[in-house]
Structures are given as C-alpha cells and as structure tokens.
Amino acid sequence: MKLLIARLNHETNTFSPVPTPLAAFAPTYGDEARQAQQGMRTAMAAFLDAAQARGAECVTPVSATANPSGPVQAEAYTQLCDRIVAAAPGCDAILLDLHGAMVAENSADGEGDLLARVRSAAPGVPIGVALDLHGNITARMVGNADVMVGFKTYPHIDMYETGAHVARLLLPMLDGGLRYGVRWRPLPLMSHTLRSTTLGGAMAQAVGTAKALEAQGLPAMTVFAGFSLADIAAPCVSVVATVRLDAEGEAQGQQALDDLAGQIWDQRQQFVYDSEPLAESLQRAQAMAQGATRPVLLLDHGDNCMSGGSCDTLDVLQAAWAQGLSGITVGPLCDPEAVAALIAAGEGAEVSVALGNKVSLAGLGLLKTPVAVQGRVRAISDGSYTVSGPIYTGQRCHMGRTVWLDTGSTQIVVTETPHEPWDLGVFSCVGLDPLQARFLLLKSRMYCRPVFVPLSAGLVECDSPGVTSSDFSLFPFRHVTRPVFPLDAI
C-alpha cells in the first residue's frame, strides 16, 4: 500500500502587504519532509502515524507552511502544487494537510485548484483532507475530496486529532469498507475572527452541535468560520459533512447540514465583533491594572501576524503613551532596519531610533510614519526559542536577530521577522521577564491566550487601523458576492 502524504498551509490575507514567496514556506521535500513532521502535533504527523500503523509505504513530496500574509507568489504556488500532483499517480490513497484559505497570484481558490489537479492525476484514488477551522470552503474543494475534516478548536490545539480523524475514515476505504463523500452548506456570513473562537459564544455552540452529530453516528461534521480578510467570492462561514454514500448516510448528512446551518444563521449577529474605540479600551485596561500583581494583556488584533499583519504598527503603543500608561512590555515588534541600527550601536548603548510604521498600508488608504524612540539596548540575541505549549509544543522558532530596547517606561522586543507571541520565549530569549510588566502589549488575536491569559490580571482587546482590523469598513472588498452579512442587512 502506497500513501501520498503532504502538507501545504497558507492563510491568505489579500489586503496584507507582507509578500509570500517560496522562501516564506521553508519547504522540505521527500524524506526530509517526513522527518520534519514525524512526532509533531500536526495533521501530517497524524497521517504518518496512521500509515506506519498499517505498514504502508509513504510518499512525502513536500511539507510547507507559511505565516498568514499576502497572496502566494505564482511561482511558489505552482512549484509546491506541482510536487504534490506529480507524486499522486500510483498511490493508493492521498492524505493532504492543507489550510483551506489559500489565495495565490494565479489562483483565487488555492486548495480547490490543487485538489482538482490531484484528482485528475489519480482518478478514483481516495483523497482525504484536513483543514484549518478558518478555511474558505469552495465547491471545487468539496467536489474533489472523499473525506474532509477541519479543526474544532480556536485557538487551534487539535491539529493532530483532525488528521487522525481523516485517516480513520479514509484508510478503511482501501479495505473495501464504507465509501464516503463530502457535502456542504455555505452561508452568506462573513465572521469576524475574534468571534470564531471556540472558547465561548455562537461558534462554540455550533461546534458543540457538530460534535454531538458525530457522536450520533455522522462520520464527520465541521463548522468552518471562514477567513474574511480575503477579497474572494465567498470568504464565509460554511458547514461541511463527510457522509456515508448510501441512502441513509446521505439523508442523515443533509438533515444535519440543514439544521446546523440554520442554527448558525439564526445566531449570525453573534459572529460579528463590534470594536470599541481604542481610548476606551485603554481606559478599561488602566482600571483593571489598579492593585493588580500581574500584567494586564493588551491585544493589538489590528496588526496580528497570524492574520497577515506586518507587526510594525504603533497605534496602540502610541495611544497608551498618550494616556499615560507606563510599565509596558511590548513585542515582538518587527523592524529589521531598527534591529540593524540597535545591533550596530551594541549592548548598553544609549540610542535614538526611528521605530515601526515602515510597511506601507497604502492599499487601505492608511499613512503611518515611524516614531522616534530613545532608550538603551539591553540585550541582543538570535531570536530563537522552543515553544513550551500547548500550541505547537516543541517547535523551534526563529524571529531573526532580536533586540531588547529599554525606554524607561516601556520595554520593547524588536525582531527582524513578524512573529506570533506563541510563548514566553519571545521575551526570555533576550532575558526579559514579561510578567514583571504592568501592561503586556502583544500583537495577537488568539494564539497567545493559552499561555499568557493564565498569567495575567485580565485581557483587553485593542483594535487598531491595520490589515487585520476587525473594522470591515477599512477594507475595499471588490470580489465578495453580495449580499453578505454583515456587509449587507440580510
């Protein structure tokens, strides 16, 4: 038995100024791809474990993942997809660890076009797909997969379990067992990312219903929140079921899809996030910090690198300074030009540096200018650390050269590359203890929460004008099919 197992992940923010070349994926190929994923908590790792349990031969043409950013460069998309397609002929089953919201310069439906090519290259071969909860599902994706399952957690902590679910359904098909197909219900609903958390609210209720349906015998049911910062036809919520291909299975799946889609639509207003003015957010944070012995988290979700942000805007920090907040620790802030200048000055040096606001946001009509900051270079490092968990446990991370800049009232971690604050390691790699701060400002929506929320006195979400803002009015949507809620009153 020969199985094709591959990983290709990218969540595309079509408004993001951050480029996505081949190098952004840090791709590995063949045996190196298999070795890189073995033992990880990813869907691809689960596929490899399932293959090993069956004694199957594995073909691993590529493992490639890039942080969310702008559209994937055409050459990169074509090259990575070509490797997967070329490996498909002669395989008995295909297991793909994809994202579901990839847009390339030469493909508005990155996963759908890839799956269609794979199906054409290996007709009749079962295809199983694991996807991110934020997938923008299309008819082309659904029509070219036999099994499709998405994450049921956000923050995402069930990537491995999702892959195991796909393999558990797909591989028995090779033994002449049940046959499966994928059915779906798209909704004209663009959800805000902060309302797609499974920690509570309507999304948690919908996922709870999906789990209950699986417990009642439905092979798989996923609620996809979609990724709304993509100017494509339908960056929307959808419900996807993997069903048995018999009369009873089809009927069960169709009824489940109708019922769950109806539940979500009835609660559609709860998938909309209403941002409060930034000044009011910071006033709440000040009140929360009174008498606190732990830092108050300030989450700048308008410039979140895991949604395509540049990680270099300073709106929230400037507003905090304007309101007299002190004892602030902030990071990681991406500014390679400032990093070079600070390293040239050396540890212990007193410096004045133009910081942040350097990546153009002209696509949104936003004009920002760097801020002159004075301080002392406290530490310099290579920006490497190991994630302690629970997300991407054990993964080695590299932020590029990293500097701790001390302005007196504010401690700033400046890096060469945009980076999500997965872990305390983003600060400890330069010897900074973030828990000593009064306010801890992180460029994050959700991924920081499993680590930082239990260590904090509270959390305040701070919206700012950037390419990951929750204010849809900032974005010039041109390709979205209308009407769609909440852009339109339906």
Side-chain angles (χ1 to χ4, degrees):
M1 179 188 301
K2 181 187 291 188
L3 306 181
L4 189 163
I5 296 175
R7 185 183 194 210
L8 178 55
N9 288 177
H10 189 253
E11 181 180 76
T12 305
N13 179 335
T14 61
F15 302 102
S16 173
V18 180
T20 315
L22 181 64
F25 287 89
T28 54
Y29 308 112
D31 287 342
E32 186 180 356
R34 177 182 55 78
Q35 292 165 6
Q37 287 296 305
Q38 200 81 55
M40 300 295 288
R41 298 299 297 174
T42 62
M44 183 171 174
F47 295 159
L48 292 169
D49 288 347
Q52 183 178 16
R54 292 178 67 96
E57 175 187 354
C58 293
V59 178
T60 52
V62 65
S63 173
T65 182
N67 281 345
S69 48
V72 179
Q73 291 182 0
E75 182 180 358
Y77 173 75
T78 300
Q79 180 175 325
L80 293 170
C81 291
D82 282 354
R83 286 181 174 270
I84 296 172
V85 173
C91 291
D92 298 299
I94 297 166
L95 293 160
L96 299 178
D97 177 348
L98 307 177
H99 183 282
M102 179 165 57
V103 178
E105 293 173 339
N106 54 340
S107 173
D109 184 2
E111 287 85 359
D113 289 345
L114 169 60
L115 288 169
R117 291 184 62 197
V118 171
R119 178 73 87 193
S120 179
V125 175
I127 299 175
V129 186
L131 296 172
D132 191 287
L133 173 146
H134 293 106
N136 289 325
I137 309 305
T138 67
R140 201 161 171 81
M141 294 166 64
V142 168
N144 288 287
D146 299 282
V147 172
M148 182 178 288
V149 186
F151 305 160
K152 288 184 171 64
T153 62
Y154 180 53
H156 307 315
I157 56 173
D158 65 332
M159 293 85 81
Y160 183 95
E161 289 76 10
T162 300
H165 192 163
V166 172
R168 188 165 63 247
L169 296 178
L170 191 80
L171 295 183
M173 292 176 66
L174 302 179
D175 305 324
L178 292 173
R179 294 175 59 245
Y180 297 103
V182 182
R183 304 291 181 263
W184 72 315
R185 283 287 182 277
L187 291 92
L189 169 60
M190 292 170 60
S191 70
H192 281 98
T193 304
L194 279 167
R195 287 292 176 259
S196 63
T197 177
T198 56
L199 299 176
M203 185 64 181
Q205 294 173 33
V207 170
T209 299
K211 290 180 178 178
L213 289 165
E214 290 178 347
Q216 293 165 18
L218 191 67
M221 175 67 90
T222 304
V223 180
F224 288 98
F227 183 63
S228 58
L229 299 180
D231 191 14
I232 58 176
C236 294
V237 175
S238 59
V239 185
V240 173
T242 297
V243 304
R244 298 189 309 274
L245 293 183
D246 56 46
E248 181 181 353
E250 289 275 14
Q252 178 193 35
Q254 298 295 348
Q255 186 63 56
L257 287 168
D258 290 343
D259 291 347
L260 184 47
Q263 173 185 325
I264 292 169
W265 186 248
D266 289 344
Q267 297 181 308
R268 60 190 178 278
Q269 187 62 53
Q270 295 185 44
F271 287 86
V272 177
Y273 180 88
D274 294 317
S275 296
E276 69 180 338
L278 180 54
E280 294 181 14
S281 297
L282 293 173
Q283 288 170 5
R284 288 198 298 113
Q286 285 179 299
M288 200 176 293
Q290 297 298 319
T293 58
R294 294 180 291 178
V296 174
L297 294 183
L298 306 176
L299 299 193
D300 180 7
H301 58 91
D303 184 28
N304 167 224
C305 85
M306 290 308 290
S307 292
S310 60
C311 275
D312 88 322
T313 65
L314 294 179
D315 299 81
V316 177
L317 183 58
Q318 288 177 277
W321 285 338
Q323 290 190 209
L325 275 66
S326 61
I328 304 170
T329 291
V330 57
L333 178 71
C334 179
D335 189 335
E337 183 180 285
V339 167
L342 295 171
I343 290 176
E347 287 190 7
E350 290 283 350
V351 296
S352 179
V353 64
L355 188 65
N357 289 347
K358 294 173 183 173
V359 177
S360 174
L361 301 181
L364 296 186
L366 298 174
L367 177 64
K368 302 177 187 290
T369 56
V371 177
V373 176
Q374 293 184 327
R376 182 183 297 276
V377 179
R378 289 292 185 188
I380 298 169
S381 86
D382 66 0
S384 298
Y385 69 94
T386 301
V387 178
S388 59
I391 298 175
Y392 296 123
T393 304
Q395 179 170 300
R396 189 69 176 163
C397 292
H398 308 277
M399 302 187 292
R401 295 183 300 171
T402 299
V403 179
W404 169 10
L405 177 63
D406 178 2
T407 74
S409 69
T410 305
Q411 312 302 318
I412 307 173
V413 173
V414 192
T415 66
E416 287 187 307
T417 61
H419 191 81
E420 175 75 21
W422 306 110
D423 191 89
L424 293 170
V426 300
F427 298 102
S428 63
C429 73
V430 287
L432 176 58
D433 181 2
L435 302 185
Q436 297 304 309
R438 189 163 180 247
F439 300 97
L440 183 55
L441 172 52
L442 304 176
K443 288 184 172 292
S444 182
R445 289 187 193 274
M446 199 62 60
Y447 288 109
C448 69
R449 300 188 192 211
V451 169
F452 289 95
V453 168
L455 303 174
S456 72
L459 179 155
V460 176
E461 294 164 346
C462 301
D463 202 357
S464 63
V467 295
T468 71
S469 171
S470 295
D471 181 1
F472 282 163
S473 70
L474 288 174
F475 302 96
F477 292 105
R478 298 184 179 91
H479 301 293
V480 174
T481 301
R482 309 291 286 266
V484 64
F485 189 82
L487 301 187
D488 304 296
I490 57 174

